[in-house]
Amino acid sequence: MDLRDRPEDVRFRDEIRRFLEENLVGEFAELGGRGGSGDETYGFDVRLRWEKVLAAARYTCLAWPTEYGGRGATITEQVIFNEEYARASAPGRVSILGEGLLGPTLIHYGTPEQKQRFLPPIREGTELWCQGYSEPDAGSDLANVKTRAVRDGDEWVVTGQKVWTSLAHQADWCFVVCRTDPDTTRHKGLSYLLVPMDQPGVEVRPITQLTRTSEFNEVFFDGARTSVDNVVGEVGDGWRVALATLAFERGVALLGHQLSFRRELDRLVALAQQNAKASDPVLRQRLAQAHIELTIMRYNTLRSLSGVDGPVAPPEASIAKLYWGSWHQGLGELAMSILGPAATVLDGEALPENHGYGLNEVQRSFLFARSETIYGGSNEIQRNIIGERVLGLPAEPKGTA
Ligand SMILES: Cc1cc2nc3c(=O)[nH]c(=O)nc-3n(C[C@H](O)[C@H](O)[C@H](O)COP(=O)(O)OP(=O)(O)OC[C@H]3O[C@@H](n4cnc5c(N)ncnc54)[C@H](O)[C@@H]3O)c2cc1C
């Protein structure tokens, strides 16, 4: 793959730059690129308005096929868009779960009616989604899902508990993996339901994170209802659809993260230069190593996404997830070393009601990165996949309990 911009790439890059220069003004510019992972509550209303500005110019859902309102953007175009977006410090996106996870899943597995009903509001930024997979006893072992749905006339009635549900408090809809056949266990008899959040049978309880924000939640379904038309794929075939969404999740993460990582690394180099840590030989080595590894990450990402049309298949997705999650945690530790004792001082914005000061961007990223080797499949699970599917090691022994 030739990594240099071709004439059409240069044109596309110019177009994005112009759009951002003209539109990233006023309240949008004031956000200073905030609102990403670990910072999702920041400037939410402004970011929602920004989503609509992007949508009006057709810069949401770039990768979707044109028949569904996307631009059918190539991988190169998506990379260019993300690079320019990160470079301009544009606001953190609010609709990543709809655009990157549910949308592609519906495009592959949804009925024409589901596509017509659900894709336009995702593209326009008017409906937000959350992902209802994990439960207290079903995280890595997702097939252990116990939330159940029982058919009642033209509706499914959903009962059970989900946990760690990111952005459930802001979502209009949730894609829920639940058991529709009570006589089955494991991955058989599961279905993939689209459930509206604004109804009496749904309760969302925030969980406070290490970053002191609450981006994920417990979600309790107690007789929540959704139409029988809102099953994606066949009833009982939800496992296949759920895995496809996970593969999209890993593909999206591949692209999105490493571009903002470059900005973080550049900021660390600038910090080290300011506080004279740039002349510390060990820290210089670690910064250079971080740069090398990030460059490898970029090339690997481009390689594994080239020619992919649909979910990114394991094991590439697992290798990439293991790599970026661990790399970013390491970068956070390096940031703490560069800050030195100043790392322990809270000097972010003043918190309301005299609650002191918040985390600054470097501290927030360091703390949030602890979760990156857990969500989207933990490091241990990725190693199991690589061990079994790449190295051909025997399958891990299953417990007998
Ligand atoms: C920031 C964040 C956001 C999240 N957002 C969402 C969301 O929006 N929707 C959603 O559904 N979920 C979400 N999750 C949940 C996430 O998917 C789970 O945390 C993850 O799948 C791990 O499951 P668990 O927490 O139940 O841990 P467990 O599965 O109980 O694992 C505990 C530990 O045991 C290890 N382990 C488990 N099984 C094995 C094995 N077979 N071999 C070796 N080691 C093993 C794990 O690696 C881990 O270290 C989020 C999590 C985080 C941290």
Side-chain angles (χ1 to χ4, degrees), residues 131-134 139-141 163-166 216 368 371 374-376 378 380-381 384 396:
Q131 178 180 25
Y133 277 32
S134 304
S140 306
D141 189 12
V163 70
W164 320 124
T165 319
S166 299
F216 54 29
F368 190 81
S371 71
I374 302 172
Y375 73 76
S378 70
E380 291 76 12
I381 294 303
N384 282 346
E396 61 167 325

Side-chain angles (χ1 to χ4, degrees), residues 59-109:
Y59 285 128
T60 55
C61 307
L62 286 186
W64 293 8
T66 45
E67 62 190 295
Y68 302 118
R71 286 178 180 243
T74 60
I75 292 297
T76 310
E77 286 167 341
Q78 293 174 56
V79 169
I80 290 173
F81 179 81
N82 282 299
E83 277 176 353
E84 294 306 321
Y85 197 87
R87 201 188 321 273
S89 292
R93 298 286 306 279
V94 289
S95 184
I96 287 176
L97 293 169
E99 174 172 333
L101 273 61
L102 183 72
T105 307
L106 281 181
I107 288 168
H108 274 72
Y109 294 99

Side-chain angles (χ1 to χ4, degrees), residues 298-354:
R298 177 162 193 263
Y299 292 152
N300 266 336
T301 299
L302 292 172
R303 190 181 52 177
S304 54
L305 289 178
S306 336
V308 170
D309 175 24
V312 179
E316 281 82 359
S318 292
I319 293 170
K321 170 70 190 18
L322 181 61
Y323 193 95
W324 74 253
S326 308
W327 181 88
H328 196 223
Q329 266 184 13
L331 191 77
E333 282 151 23
L334 174 56
M336 295 301 104
S337 304
I338 288 171
L339 283 174
T344 59
V345 178
L346 291 178
D347 60 358
E349 71 264 6
L351 299 176
E353 297 169 15
N354 263 347

Side-chain angles (χ1 to χ4, degrees), residues 113-162:
E113 294 74 24
Q114 288 169 344
K115 292 176 190 174
Q116 203 176 4
R117 162 63 188 86
F118 293 112
L119 294 178
I122 296 176
R123 205 182 55 233
E124 287 150 18
T126 50
E127 270 180 3
L128 302 181
W129 284 83
C130 62
Q131 178 180 25
Y133 277 32
S134 304
E135 299 184 359
D137 289 324
S140 306
D141 189 12
L142 185 61
N144 204 30
V145 156
K146 294 202 174 64
T147 293
R148 61 184 195 281
V150 177
R151 187 154 173 177
D152 178 23
D154 287 343
E155 290 183 318
W156 288 101
V157 181
V158 185
T159 306
Q161 183 196 343
K162 295 291 173 180

Side-chain angles (χ1 to χ4, degrees), residues 174-391:
C174 184
F175 45 99
V176 180
V177 177
C178 55
R179 198 162 292 287
T180 42
D181 181 347
D183 299 327
T184 56
T185 55
R186 308 299 301 162
H187 52 277
K188 296 199 180 87
L190 296 174
S191 297
Y192 191 105
L193 261 59
L194 311 178
V195 181
M197 294 294 280
D198 186 14
Q199 58 168 312
V202 178
E203 187 189 346
V204 176
R205 295 187 200 159
I207 302 171
T208 303
Q209 299 161 198
L210 202 57
T211 46
R212 294 213 249 165
T213 51
S214 296
E215 277 147 7
F216 54 29
N217 306 269
E218 294 176 290
V219 178
F220 295 86
F221 296 103
D222 185 9
R225 289 180 172 263
T226 194
S227 159
V228 286
D229 298 332
N230 290 337
V231 180
V232 184
E234 298 298 317
V235 172
D237 195 26
W239 183 249
R240 198 163 58 99
V241 186
L243 289 190
T245 306
L246 281 180
F248 284 122
E249 181 174 9
R250 288 169 194 162
V252 168
L254 278 183
L255 259 189
H257 281 89
Q258 44 120 12
L259 299 163
S260 59
F261 291 167
R262 168 56 62 189
R263 242 182 42 198
E264 280 189 50
L265 179 57
D266 290 347
R267 191 178 51 209
L268 279 193
V269 172
L271 255 178
Q273 273 160 348
Q274 275 161 26
N275 71 5
K277 291 280 175 59
S279 46
D280 177 319
V282 175
L283 289 182
R284 287 164 68 93
Q285 284 290 330
R286 288 173 66 191
L287 279 168
Q289 188 63 26
H291 166 74
I292 291 165
E293 289 169 3
L294 184 56
T295 308
I296 292 172
M297 201 187 307
R298 177 162 193 263
Y299 292 152
N300 266 336
T301 299
L302 292 172
R303 190 181 52 177
S304 54
L305 289 178
S306 336
V308 170
D309 175 24
V312 179
E316 281 82 359
S318 292
I319 293 170
K321 170 70 190 18
L322 181 61
Y323 193 95
W324 74 253
S326 308
W327 181 88
H328 196 223
Q329 266 184 13
L331 191 77
E333 282 151 23
L334 174 56
M336 295 301 104
S337 304
I338 288 171
L339 283 174
T344 59
V345 178
L346 291 178
D347 60 358
E349 71 264 6
L351 299 176
E353 297 169 15
N354 263 347
H355 276 124
Y357 292 88
L359 301 165
N360 63 39
E361 221 172 320
V362 179
Q363 292 161 331
R364 191 179 313 110
S365 179
F366 164 65
L367 291 176
F368 190 81
R370 306 315 301 174
S371 71
E372 290 168 347
T373 51
I374 302 172
Y375 73 76
S378 70
N379 273 13
E380 291 76 12
I381 294 303
Q382 307 304 342
R383 286 196 183 94
N384 282 346
I385 295 172
I386 295 165
E388 290 173 26
R389 301 200 200 169
V390 181
L391 303 176

